[in-house]
Amino acid sequence: MSKILIIEDEESIAELEKDYLELSGFDVIVCNTGEVGLKTALEEEIDLIILDIMLPVMDGFEICKKVREKKDIPIILVSAKKEDIDKIRGFGIGADDYITKPFSPSELVARVKAHLARYERLVGSKEAANEVYEIRGIKIDRTSRRVFVNGEEKAFTTKEFDLLYFLAKNPNRVFTKEEIFSNIWDLESVGDIATVTVHIKKIREKIEFNPSKPQYIETIWGIGYRFKI
Ligand code: CA
């Protein structure tokens, strides 16, 4: 069940919105101040926010911006003034929609449903688009950080995965050990370019049919390595 957060200082309006949304099957939380509303928006699992602009102390614009820094859930602003509409349109504050008072509760419910459906499609398409590289029997799934060799999953350490992914996403390009080291290991880490050699050896043992005659990660003598496709 989708959870809707209403941030609205006028309690009668908040109750009306809540009743209609609950009748439509939503879980509803009401906050009557901006401060509590913002805290709830950031800490709870909320699917959509209905946010009044005119709130004492912290207004809806400020809350909208702060929520946007952390979450991309739909936000519908509620406005009582025409000037607000110009601001919503002109300032890029990150709201998905707005509705002006007075509005019919059924219109609000319709907007909520539309935005939730659009957001679910968006999130769904993000999940579907796993970043996967497939090269001659090797499958590198960046999203889940898993590696398969001819359909069989191989266990990779974090750095081994990062290294393999780095080379595979830049195929046929030769990297020196220094370049690889500076790309994969952060500056604070203890180690030197010999670490690269050790990791390449371990990766080859996992992905190559014959590690002494590598088909994927080639050694370019005197320079470094490249991922061959
Ligand atoms: Ca208000």
Side-chain angles (χ1 to χ4, degrees), residues 9-197:
D9 60 327
E10 283 170 75
E11 289 180 25
S12 58
I13 293 179
E15 283 308 308
L16 183 72
E17 292 173 357
K18 180 172 187 275
D19 288 347
Y20 269 84
L21 289 164
E22 282 180 347
L23 279 173
S24 304
F26 296 110
D27 236 350
V28 181
I29 302 176
V30 173
C31 294
N32 294 120
T33 70
E35 294 81 354
V36 178
L38 176 62
K39 193 167 180 288
T40 308
L42 296 178
E43 290 175 3
E44 302 267 329
E45 285 282 328
I46 303 289
D47 298 297
L48 182 145
I49 304 174
I50 297 168
L51 174 57
D52 187 34
I53 294 173
M54 287 264 284
L55 295 164
V57 191
M58 186 186 281
D59 71 11
F61 289 123
E62 198 179 340
I63 295 168
C64 187
K65 271 191 222 158
K66 292 210 162 106
V67 173
R68 235 344 135 247
E69 286 167 12
K70 300 268 160 56
K71 293 188 171 187
D72 64 352
I73 53 171
I75 300 175
I76 301 176
L77 290 177
V78 177
S79 157
K81 291 191 300 182
K82 198 187 164 296
E83 303 90 87
D84 287 341
I85 309 306
D86 299 333
K87 210 170 162 188
I88 295 166
R89 285 185 181 145
F91 280 75
I93 55 162
D96 296 86
D97 201 358
Y98 63 88
I99 191 162
T100 47
K101 288 179 181 172
F103 51 82
S104 74
S106 54
E107 188 191 349
L108 180 70
V109 171
R111 300 261 190 114
V112 165
K113 284 182 178 166
H115 281 286
L116 284 173
R118 188 185 58 85
Y119 185 69
E120 271 160 28
R121 281 198 302 275
L122 193 75
V123 172
S125 63
K126 271 185 201 161
E127 279 169 2
N130 269 23
E131 226 181 307
V132 177
Y133 287 78
E134 285 201 76
I135 311 117
R136 288 181 286 121
I138 295 185
K139 189 166 132 187
I140 305 166
D141 185 334
R142 195 200 182 185
T143 315
S144 63
R145 298 183 64 90
R146 297 167 84 183
V147 180
F148 299 85
V149 180
N150 297 318
E152 190 190 332
E153 185 168 5
K154 303 281 177 176
F156 271 65
T157 66
T158 304
K159 293 300 179 198
E160 287 167 7
F161 183 90
D162 290 344
L163 209 173
L164 175 64
Y165 176 76
F166 173 71
L167 292 176
K169 77 170 179 182
N170 297 290
N172 291 333
R173 202 177 132 187
V174 181
F175 289 97
T176 65
K177 289 176 188 174
E178 287 84 359
E179 282 172 325
I180 293 172
F181 187 79
S182 67
N183 270 286
I184 307 297
W185 281 267
D186 38 44
L187 292 172
E188 311 90 75
S189 42
V190 184
D192 54 48
I193 57 167
T195 313
V196 176
T197 316

